[in-house]
Amino acid sequence: MDQSYKKKKIEIRNLTKKFNEKIILKNINFDLYEGESLAIIGASGSGKSVLLKNIIGLLKPEAGSIKINNVETVNLSRSKRENLLLELGITFQHGALFDSLTIWENVIFKIQRINKLSKIDGQKLALDIIKNLGLGSDILNLYPSEISGGMQKRIAIARAISSDPSILLFDEPTSGLDPVTGSVIDELIVKSVKRLCASAITITHDMASVSRIADKVILIDDQTISWTGKPNEMLKSNNAKIQQFIKALNPKLFK
Ligand SMILES: Nc1ncnc2c1ncn2[C@@H]1O[C@H](COP(=O)(O)OP(=O)(O)OP(=O)(O)O)[C@@H](O)[C@H]1O
Ligand SMILES: [Mg+2]
């Protein structure tokens, strides 16, 4: 589809990231357009999370450009980056929630930083947000360790979308969950992207998730993007890297 009339939310050009001379990512180039949902796949250790951390500024690339809403973010001052981060909703692969805060405090954490709410208003707002994710008031005053792993993932998504961001970034939102809970989370992602008219990048190992959530897929292999296409093109592709990746995940498909 011709994307030229659509706004670019993220533009990455020639991004290179090293740790102590070890190259993790080299010459990464891609765009995320308004309303688009992108899945990033790749073997463990291929640099998917490192790429996400570069986008949000937790890591700095050795070379290349990362534009968010047309603003160059590499070398951006801390205060300007803070403003930009309000546009982003993020869930991390590990340690998604603050252990010492209750569920409602976790959910509205970002909003509290901008606009201090009373306990009652905060709980009400948190409830409004988690109700949309199929959760109820019974968990508002619990701590993350007191709810299940699937609920924790949903709360992490609730926190990410709480400030109505225009860009959502999810790192392995369904990993470690049973397939049913995984598909509920995928639905949540799809619904949230639609409701917020947002753009999304989801890192996943799960091919079923890719088909459910993504318009476009990027495979990272050998430090760079080795395949890009639509989810339904993955299985048909002759590209050796994508075949190898799908085969490793679904050996039955190739017997
Ligand atoms: N802060 C860091 N310092 C040094 N090396 C790092 C750092 N963070 C990541 N790496 C290395 O970068 C490589 C890519 O890591 P990354 O976490 O991006 O992998 P991934 O593709 O997300 O894997 P997984 O699917 O297992 O989550 C790994 O070799 C990892 O050890
Ligand atoms: Mg990772």
Side-chain angles (χ1 to χ4, degrees):
M1 186 174 62
D2 178 18
Q3 301 267 29
S4 54
Y5 62 94
K6 281 199 168 178
K7 265 201 248 167
K8 270 186 202 172
K9 298 300 287 180
I10 297 181
E11 181 189 279
I12 298 191
R13 290 293 176 269
N14 300 320
L15 180 128
T16 295
K17 178 67 202 164
K18 301 180 199 169
F19 289 113
N20 306 322
E21 294 312 302
K22 184 182 171 206
I23 299 175
I24 307 294
L25 297 169
K26 193 171 65 189
N27 282 330
I28 299 282
N29 288 286
F30 72 88
D31 298 316
L32 176 74
Y33 287 89
E34 197 171 31
E36 189 175 44
S37 180
L38 177 73
I40 297 183
I41 58 174
S44 187
S46 57
K48 305 178 298 295
S49 296
V50 165
L51 175 57
L52 209 70
K53 286 177 189 164
N54 276 274
I55 295 174
I56 62 179
L58 270 180
L59 291 172
K60 195 176 159 198
E62 271 61 46
S65 154
I66 302 171
K67 286 187 183 164
I68 299 178
N69 285 339
N70 255 329
V71 176
E72 179 58 59
T73 65
V74 177
N75 294 323
L76 199 66
S77 72
R78 204 185 155 143
S79 59
K80 287 196 177 138
R81 184 176 293 283
E82 290 244 320
N83 284 337
L84 207 61
L85 283 176
L86 293 175
E87 285 261 346
L88 307 184
I90 306 153
T91 68
F92 292 98
Q93 185 172 6
H94 303 292
L97 300 175
F98 301 115
D99 294 340
S100 59
L101 300 183
T102 60
I103 299 305
W104 74 266
E105 287 166 329
N106 261 287
V107 171
I108 62 157
F109 182 79
K110 226 162 116 183
I111 297 170
Q112 285 280 42
R113 291 188 60 188
I114 312 162
N115 182 8
K116 199 100 187 103
L117 296 173
S118 69
K119 184 174 175 183
I120 294 198
D121 286 344
Q123 287 182 327
K124 227 164 99 186
L125 180 60
L127 182 59
D128 279 347
I129 296 168
I130 69 170
K131 257 203 227 150
N132 282 328
L133 309 186
L135 297 166
S137 60
D138 48 326
I139 62 165
L140 281 179
N141 289 307
L142 299 179
Y143 287 89
S145 62
E146 297 171 325
I147 61 174
S148 74
M151 282 175 168
Q152 287 175 11
K153 295 250 180 199
R154 272 190 266 181
I155 296 299
I157 294 174
R159 189 177 61 189
I161 62 176
S162 64
S163 56
D164 291 352
S166 66
I167 301 172
L168 296 164
L169 306 170
F170 301 118
D171 194 349
E172 304 272 4
T174 59
S175 68
L177 301 177
D178 66 86
V180 175
T181 312
S183 69
V184 171
I185 301 261
D186 287 339
E187 253 174 59
L188 270 182
I189 291 176
V190 173
K191 267 206 268 180
S192 307
V193 170
K194 279 214 182 107
R195 188 179 63 80
L196 298 169
C197 298
S199 311
I201 298 180
T202 307
I203 296 175
T204 182
H205 275 100
D206 183 344
M207 287 300 128
S209 288
V210 170
S211 321
R212 283 194 286 258
I213 62 180
D215 308 312
K216 192 166 88 184
V217 188
I218 281 178
L219 170 70
I220 299 187
D221 182 84
D222 204 10
Q223 304 165 341
T224 198
I225 295 178
S226 59
W227 186 83
T228 309
K230 294 198 164 74
N232 62 8
E233 293 165 350
M234 267 188 314
L235 281 176
K236 292 181 268 173
S237 170
N238 293 325
N239 179 292
K241 300 277 190 194
I242 196 85
Q243 281 197 358
Q244 194 183 22
F245 185 76
I246 295 173
K247 203 169 178 174
L249 287 178
N250 296 297
K252 279 189 214 138
L253 283 177
F254 290 81
K255 273 194 180 141

